[in-house]
Every structure is written in structure tokens, then in C-alpha cells.
Amino acid sequence: MGVRTWGESSVAPTLSITSSDNNLAVGETATITFTFSEIVTGFAINDVVSTNGTTGVLSGSGSVYSTIFTPSASFNGIGNISVADNTFENVGGDLGIGDDINITINTVTPIILEVSVQITSLPEAKTGAPYEIWDSSKSLITSGTTNVAASGQI
């Protein structure tokens, strides 16, 4: 512990971790913000533990820092970013109390095994008609416009 001067806290600093996005999909990242209850020293990116993803460069100083979290590819589940207790301290030398946050991740690319479309009537088969294909969970897989060949197939 450092030498205290008049007015310095003897209370352990606390940490709150927040995310700009708590539900990540393919191609998405989240900004992770570390907000301490007071100015801390000794906090570095190697104090940050991430599961099912990676963190980038740590920026900031004093009581607010941030990094970018990139989720693991082809993963569906929970990611976690944490900072353990006693990995940082305030200017008075009091060791800090850490925090963690969970992020839902779905970076599994959907695979279309088969698409079957039954058309019962084509009064005016034409090129350029819009279409959409949805999966069973009501997520849009693809959309576009038709290109009708001479045989009438899309």
C-alpha cells in the first residue's frame, strides 16, 4: 500500500463493465467499456479475460477504459469479459473489486440445405419480381428479384 495523504480514500475501487451490444452476430463487434469508481493504476489489457472471443487494444486512462470485443467465429452461445479482483488499485494502494459481463453470440453462418418453392399460379411470370427466403426461426436468409427463364423457372 502506498502512503496516504489527507483526504485519500481507503475504500476499494469498484469496476463496472458494459458493452455497446449484448447480442453479437456474424461480422459484429462490441465496444467494451470499463468504468471504475475512481482513478486506478495498474490496469492493463492482460487483466481482461475474454471467453469465446478476443479483445483488442486497451484505450483510456484514469477511471474509464475501453476495448473492442470480437466474438469467436462459428460459435453459438455465451461470451464473457471479466476483470478479476485485485488486478488494479486506487492511488492510495487499495486493491480493486472486479466485474464481468456476458454477451450472447451467434456467429454460426446458416446453411441452406434445400429450398423448395411451389408456385400454383403464375399469371404473369416476369423478371424483377421481389422474393425473400426465411428460415424456421423467422430470420431472413436472402432476398432478391426473380430472373424468369424462357421455361418459367426462377
Side-chain angles (χ1 to χ4, degrees):
M1 260 194 181
V3 176
R4 294 197 192 280
T5 59
W6 178 254
E8 280 187 349
S9 169
S10 63
V11 175
T14 58
L15 170 62
S16 174
I17 302 174
T18 57
S19 176
S20 62
D21 189 345
N22 290 318
N23 193 359
L24 298 177
V26 175
E28 295 181 334
T29 61
T31 299
I32 306 300
T33 302
F34 306 91
T35 305
F36 296 91
S37 58
E38 59 186 291
I39 293 173
V40 296
T41 61
F43 181 61
I45 194 63
N46 59 349
D47 297 325
V48 178
V49 176
S50 59
T51 57
N52 300 316
T54 58
T55 51
V57 175
L58 188 66
S59 61
S61 63
S63 62
V64 180
Y65 296 79
S66 65
T67 188
I68 300 297
F69 176 77
T70 303
S72 297
S74 300
F75 176 77
N76 186 11
I78 301 297
N80 180 270
I81 296 94
S82 64
V83 174
D85 292 348
N86 303 324
T87 55
F88 56 92
E89 61 185 45
N90 63 13
V91 294
D94 300 304
L95 294 175
I97 300 169
D99 193 21
D100 75 313
I101 187 171
N102 288 328
I103 296 176
T104 301
I105 299 170
N106 186 354
T107 55
V108 177
T109 304
I111 299 172
I112 302 172
L113 299 176
E114 180 179 334
V115 174
S116 175
V117 179
Q118 182 179 9
I119 300 174
T120 56
S121 172
L122 268 180
E124 284 188 37
K126 61 182 179 180
T127 296
Y131 70 88
E132 295 177 339
I133 299 175
W134 299 79
D135 68 12
S136 61
S137 67
K138 299 182 181 171
S139 294
L140 180 65
I141 295 173
T142 188
S143 63
T145 57
T146 58
N147 183 4
V148 178
S151 67
Q153 294 180 340
I154 297 176

